[in-house]
Amino acid sequence: MASIGDISGNEAALARQAELLAQPLTEDRIMANAIRALAIDAVEAAKSGHPGMPMGMADAATALWTRTLKYDAADPSWWDRDRFVLSAGHGSMLLYALLHLTGHEGMGIEQLKTFRQLHSPAAGHPEYHEHPAIEMTTGPLGQGLATSVGMALAERILAAKFGKSLVDHRTWVIAGDGCLMEGVSHEAAALAGHLKLNKLCVLWDDNSISIDGSTGMSTSEDPLKRFAAYGWAIRRVDGHDFAQLQAALAFAQKSAKPVIIACRTVIGFGAPTKAGTAGTHGAPLGGAEAEAAKRALGWEHLPFVVPEDVYKPWHEAGSRGATARRAWLKRLAKHPMRAEFERVMQGKLPEGWAEAMSAYKAQLVETKPKLATRQASQKALEVLIPAIPELVGGSADLTGSNLTLVKGMAGVEPGNYAGRYIYYGVREFGMAAAMNGIALHGGLIPYGGTFFVFTDYMRPAIRLAALMGVRAIHVLTHDSIGLGEDGPTHQPIEHLASFRAMPNVLTIRPADAIETAEAWEVALKNTTGPSLLVLSRQGVPALRDVANGNKTARGAYVLAEAEGGQRAATIIATGTEVAIAMAARKALAAQGIQVAVVSAPCFELFAKQDATYQAEVLGNAPRIGVEAACGFGWERWLGPNGVFIGMTGFGASAPAEVLYEHFGITEAAVCRAVISIAIV
């Protein structure tokens, strides 16, 4: 007999389905069938979607949401709620049906009827901000699971700080075979097991089907053995047996380890001919199959109709957490740390931090230190860490290079979550996803470090942070050929351009210690997306002689105007190349050629300024751009006759000063470019 996952013959799936459908309908199964019917109807109405997973996981979701998950549909933003993440985001109708049936406002039948349509809260994949009970944007497989690790870790860190009376909740995930195949889930699961995040539970939709067909076409591993090796507790259950599901969920609540429950299911459960096949994964069942499926399930109702006797137990499940929420609110009202807890959960920065940074910047003006901007970042953190207690850091095994750890920061350890520094290991993607989860959970501001070139590993998580608009701060050091001898594999070239092209990301490359401090201020105030601090390995001189305000916040500014105010040219530079521009300005002045130097640490912020300010900064004279990276995107600021001095290919292995000379990013090259186009 063929296995359940065999695309060429789904006899086993259909046999199992027939056995289950022959059993008397219980209240649990009727409630689960409401999910199935709504999923069928919405996908049919949209003429696109993924009905198979919601139909297969309806029983497991019903078991979780009716008896185990801690939530109150009347207040989906309750801070001590359990977090529920649908990592297999293509099965979004599972989540929308659950929100509708449990009585969440804003997900009524009319919204379900607009599934996958423009401006609908019931988007094709769950979208953060579209409904307050959608914990995160999911769809890129594996990222939901990985992000949930950050949510579970945030819960543990905050519980260590504020106590169990305020912070005591769990993180639940529904993931599919594809989530477990994606590499980021391996990184995240290994970290969760190491840290013993016992309040994290993954329900794996173990249906053995992928888009191409049986998962046996591409994998033969046993994921449970892998998770056991990571330090997880494991269980395998029949995903259509409510008694087994409830027992496994009870086990998860008592476990000293994170838990994964393999829920063996039939994808498209109820479909008379397509159940157990890839045919139910990503397409409507079709009119005849849809009607036959609902008849087989005993669902004799018109499309989008749920009878009151089915709504009733679902609404009771949705209000089941009201008592717990009211009790929690009473505890919060009396808690001695109430004001601080409310502040951090609302995302408000504490009093005094801005004044501390102003004093620090004034000190930099006095001392004029020559520092690598990664060192300047660490100096800024020495001010910020004591001033902002919710700031939690980390690095992907590059702490000593990123300089992300400062005195007084203890490490987060298995079973001891009172620290403020997370050792992520060589897991860049997992780190970025976990940072998203920490930020989404609320109460903490995460920053994490790696080399800038390794954002290639992290890009999907940074993009998801940009989509969701969450505050995650990435400390990205070794920003150019200036890192030197490690060579072209470690020297970013196209990375600045690529992140500048990504919507809702602030890419900030500061020129000296003051700009680095300002970059940190900008990042901390940026609550609507991720910020990338792109920092140097090599030292740079102090360039700014004033520290009032925050010039970096405007994206670009005139660092040094042409003597007499009449520009022969404007040199625009970022990061370490601003010092080269300033040296060229001095050399040109000795030849009677007066130029202005513009420091442009953040293109995105400069693009948001009004046209008058942009014109004041850029001027009318010919422009030269200087950056040790590719020139893609610079044409916007240089204009049609501008000249770019930077990289046109990959780097090389040599000392930094040799590389700058070799690739022609020098004071002399800037002077020649100015002379060639200057107004004289």
Side-chain angles (χ1 to χ4, degrees):
M1 179 177 285
S3 69
I4 288 180
D6 189 350
I7 186 62
S8 63
N10 62 325
E11 294 92 342
L14 293 177
R16 174 67 176 135
Q17 175 173 280
E19 176 188 344
L20 291 166
L21 292 176
Q23 296 173 359
L25 281 174
T26 63
E27 182 176 76
D28 285 330
R29 181 59 53 74
I30 293 170
M31 293 173 73
N33 285 344
I35 296 173
R36 295 184 171 102
L38 289 172
I40 292 169
D41 293 340
V43 173
E44 290 297 316
K47 298 182 174 58
S48 72
H50 301 76
M53 193 281 273
M55 294 170 71
M57 281 297 282
D59 297 324
T62 299
L64 176 64
W65 279 64
T66 57
R67 294 180 179 85
T68 305
L69 190 72
K70 183 173 76 170
Y71 69 104
D72 183 357
D75 186 4
S77 299
W78 171 29
W79 286 327
D80 202 37
R81 70 191 181 279
D82 283 357
R83 270 58 171 178
F84 174 76
V85 174
L86 185 66
S87 188
H90 56 274
S92 56
M93 266 309 302
L94 177 72
L95 176 56
Y96 304 148
L98 287 164
L99 297 182
H100 170 71
L101 292 167
T102 52
H104 281 78
E105 187 177 348
M107 197 60 77
I109 281 293
E110 292 308 310
Q111 282 73 40
L112 298 188
K113 288 180 178 178
T114 64
F115 177 55
R116 296 174 76 91
Q117 306 307 304
L118 187 63
H119 304 311
S120 173
H125 291 79
E127 300 290 345
Y128 187 59
H129 293 311
E130 289 294 342
H131 189 279
I134 298 174
E135 298 287 359
M136 67 171 292
T137 296
T138 54
L141 294 180
Q143 281 208 62
L145 193 161
T147 304
S148 74
V149 172
M151 295 180 181
L153 179 55
E155 191 274 346
R156 293 287 75 203
I157 293 172
L158 289 168
K161 179 177 181 179
F162 292 104
K164 189 176 180 179
S165 64
L166 290 187
V167 185
D168 184 18
H169 53 265
R170 298 180 175 275
T171 303
W172 303 89
V173 182
I174 286 182
D177 292 297
C179 291
L180 303 195
M181 291 183 197
E182 288 286 358
V184 69
S185 72
H186 299 230
E187 294 182 25
L191 180 64
H194 168 70
L195 290 174
K196 294 181 168 44
L197 299 179
N198 65 305
K199 301 184 83 171
L200 171 65
C201 179
V202 173
L203 282 71
W204 164 31
D205 181 17
D206 179 18
N207 61 33
S208 297
I209 291 293
S210 64
I211 294 175
D212 283 348
S214 167
T215 55
M217 300 167 68
S218 58
T219 182
S220 54
E221 70 171 359
D222 182 345
L224 289 190
K225 291 181 179 178
R226 172 158 58 85
F227 274 78
Y230 291 148
W232 289 55
I234 59 174
R235 281 290 183 274
R236 193 182 298 276
V237 301
D238 181 336
H240 302 297
D241 185 312
F242 285 93
Q244 290 187 35
L245 287 165
Q246 293 294 354
L249 293 171
F251 165 78
Q253 292 176 295
K254 298 174 183 176
S255 175
K257 302 176 180 180
V259 175
I260 181 168
I261 303 169
C263 303
R264 191 65 168 151
T265 62
V266 176
I267 189 172
F269 181 84
T273 67
K274 294 184 178 182
T277 75
T280 66
H281 171 82
L285 296 180
E289 184 85 0
E291 288 302 315
K294 290 200 284 186
R295 281 197 303 272
L297 294 168
W299 192 263
E300 301 290 346
H301 308 291
L302 293 173
F304 295 107
V305 171
V306 178
E308 285 303 317
D309 62 342
V310 179
Y311 272 130
K312 185 175 184 294
W314 269 117
H315 287 166
E316 289 173 353
S319 62
R320 181 174 47 84
T323 300
R325 181 175 65 87
R326 287 193 292 268
W328 179 86
L329 287 170
K330 290 178 181 178
R331 294 196 300 274
L332 175 64
K334 299 176 182 178
H335 201 282
M337 300 179 73
R338 174 186 176 180
E340 178 67 0
F341 181 77
E342 290 179 336
R343 180 189 70 78
V344 299
M345 292 304 295
Q346 290 166 357
K348 297 178 180 178
L349 293 170
E351 298 289 335
W353 80 275
E355 290 77 9
M357 286 298 284
S358 294
Y360 167 64
K361 289 190 294 182
Q363 177 189 336
L364 291 175
V365 170
E366 292 294 322
T367 58
K368 295 181 171 56
K370 180 179 180 178
L371 297 170
T373 52
R374 63 171 177 156
Q375 292 174 304
S377 172
Q378 187 179 45
K379 295 290 185 185
L381 281 170
E382 289 172 355
V383 178
L384 292 168
I385 290 298
I388 305 177
E390 64 268 33
L391 199 56
V392 294
S395 173
D397 198 47
L398 287 168
T399 295
S401 295
N402 301 146
L403 303 180
T404 40
L405 179 65
V406 301
K407 187 177 180 181
M409 295 183 79
V412 173
E413 300 174 349
N416 181 4
Y417 308 102
R420 293 177 62 184
Y421 195 82
I422 303 159
Y423 293 95
Y424 288 102
V426 188
R427 303 183 181 104
E428 293 89 354
F429 193 175
M431 174 180 73
M435 288 169 59
N436 288 348
I438 292 170
L440 286 165
H441 179 279
L444 299 169
I445 303 172
Y447 71 87
T450 188
F451 288 178
F452 187 33
V453 76
F454 297 143
T455 53
D456 285 339
Y457 291 132
M458 304 160 62
R459 189 176 306 273
I462 295 173
R463 185 176 190 271
L464 209 58
L467 269 169
M468 294 186 289
V470 297
R471 177 169 50 186
I473 302 172
H474 296 276
V475 179
L476 305 168
T477 69
H478 297 60
D479 67 346
S480 71
I481 57 170
L483 69 86
E485 294 86 346
D486 275 345
T489 60
H490 285 51
Q491 293 165 358
I493 301 297
E494 74 283 10
H495 299 70
L496 282 167
S498 68
F499 280 111
R500 287 168 179 160
M502 187 180 288
N504 202 35
V505 176
L506 293 184
T507 308
I508 312 172
R509 188 171 185 243
D512 68 357
I514 288 181
E515 279 195 6
T516 304
E518 290 180 341
W520 267 107
E521 291 176 328
V522 168
L524 287 164
K525 291 178 180 179
N526 178 25
T527 60
T528 59
S531 300
L532 315 185
L533 308 187
V534 184
L535 308 171
S536 74
R537 178 179 184 265
Q538 73 272 36
V540 289
L543 299 172
R544 283 265 294 279
D545 55 8
V546 292
N548 55 309
N550 187 315
K551 294 181 182 297
T552 298
R554 302 198 76 172
Y557 63 96
V558 179
L559 176 62
E561 187 55 88
E563 292 296 330
Q566 186 65 37
R567 300 182 188 180
T570 300
I571 306 171
I572 309 169
T574 79
T576 47
E577 288 72 71
V578 177
I580 294 174
M582 290 293 285
R585 176 180 179 273
K586 182 177 180 181
L588 288 163
Q591 301 177 52
I593 302 172
Q594 303 297 336
V595 301
V597 172
V598 169
S599 179
C602 185
F603 283 13
E604 298 92 345
L605 289 173
F606 188 52
K608 292 180 179 180
Q609 305 307 308
D610 60 64
T612 301
Y613 178 76
Q614 290 178 354
E616 289 174 359
V617 171
L618 297 175
N620 296 318
R623 302 167 196 162
I624 295 92
V626 191
E627 187 172 68
C630 76
F632 191 85
W634 270 87
E635 59 276 1
R636 177 176 185 181
W637 310 120
L638 298 182
N641 301 315
V643 175
F644 179 74
I645 296 171
M647 299 296 291
T648 57
F650 292 116
S653 177
E657 60 274 13
V658 174
L659 291 173
Y660 272 82
E661 185 72 34
H662 175 72
F663 289 109
I665 308 172
T666 62
E667 172 191 329
V670 175
C671 289
R672 287 193 298 271
V674 168
I675 291 169
S676 71
I677 66 170
I679 300 171
V680 293

